[in-house]
Amino acid sequence: PSSTPPRRSASVSPATTRRCSGSTAAPPTGTPRSRTGANCMPADIRPSSSSSGSTRRTPGTARAAVTKAEAVAPQWFGLLPESPCEVREVPAAEAPASPAAYYMAPSLDGSRPGIYFLNTYQASERFRFGSEALAFHEAVPGHHLQISLAQELGSLPEFRRWGGYTAFVEGWGLYAESLGEEMGFYADPYSKFGQLTYEMWRAIRLVVDTGMH
């Protein structure tokens, strides 16, 4: 297998594709994608240029969510990966064309940890309520726990250690989002709302991706 496993990425938030206020027209040219549908959101969870609004989706905040999950994980899982999980910003040159976040698995020789990359490009234009659910999906107890642990299980056949089977990998990521509530991770109702928007997004895609497309 390649020395650099493929990245697992989170697509845009469900809020980016919603149409609100009865309009079915596409947003005007130049409208930031993550602001589409903002009129449907309570004012205090819309993107904000204030310090409190613009600092919610940062590597530091993401690291706090991952640290919280890592501290509790031994109480919920009997086996955890040895590889650590780091949180980094998406490189500036890649950020404008990158998704909201993605996960890169550890290197096969163990020289690089698992990495949760967070896109902070135009952070004030991104909705804040999905930040915790996104961290749990991409890092712990989501992709990092599942993918890193699979790589470390030497007793498994190669195709099970290195194969990235999307239905299982992304299914586990979605389960990790809902597990976040059971493990007591969501800090407030807005963060729980973010997790529910991701669930709604997947339900919509079951219709659109397998039906209309």
Side-chain angles (χ1 to χ4, degrees):
S2 168
S3 60
T4 303
R7 303 184 303 193
R8 310 300 304 189
S9 64
S11 300
V12 294
S13 161
T16 64
T17 57
R18 288 171 42 190
R19 298 290 180 264
C20 300
S21 302
S23 172
T24 57
T29 301
T31 300
R33 290 186 302 165
S34 58
R35 292 300 293 271
T36 303
N39 289 338
C40 291
M41 297 292 101
D44 52 356
I45 58 173
R46 294 179 195 171
S48 169
S49 59
S50 67
S51 60
S52 62
S54 61
T55 58
R56 286 292 299 275
R57 185 172 286 185
T58 65
T61 303
R63 180 69 252 175
V66 174
T67 299
K68 178 169 57 176
E70 288 176 332
V72 178
Q75 303 173 27
W76 291 78
F77 300 96
L79 185 62
L80 295 169
E82 295 181 3
S83 175
C85 181
E86 293 186 2
V87 178
R88 301 181 188 176
E89 292 186 53
V90 174
E94 301 176 15
S98 293
Y102 58 84
Y103 173 75
M104 180 178 288
S107 58
L108 308 188
D109 62 4
S111 61
R112 186 192 65 239
I115 304 172
Y116 167 31
F117 281 98
L118 183 70
N119 194 338
T120 58
Y121 177 71
Q122 293 185 337
S124 64
E125 299 297 322
R126 300 176 184 272
F127 284 117
R128 301 168 293 170
F129 49 74
S131 297
E132 287 196 314
L134 189 59
F136 303 144
H137 177 111
E138 296 294 335
V140 180
H143 289 330
H144 175 70
L145 191 153
Q146 182 261 310
I147 294 174
S148 297
L149 190 57
Q151 289 184 0
E152 295 173 9
L153 295 177
S155 60
L156 292 180
E158 295 293 299
F159 80 94
R160 289 187 61 191
R161 294 177 65 193
W162 313 117
Y165 304 103
T166 302
F168 180 79
V169 173
E170 293 302 329
W172 178 267
L174 177 58
Y175 171 63
E177 295 172 23
S178 63
L179 190 59
E181 179 180 25
E182 191 173 345
M183 298 173 74
F185 290 158
Y186 292 111
D188 51 50
Y190 291 154
S191 293
K192 172 60 181 176
F193 174 79
Q195 183 249 320
L196 291 175
T197 64
Y198 282 132
E199 285 195 2
M200 180 178 66
W201 178 39
R202 273 46 170 263
I204 292 171
R205 291 186 63 180
L206 283 174
V207 175
V208 176
D209 290 352
T210 64
M212 292 175 64
H213 289 177

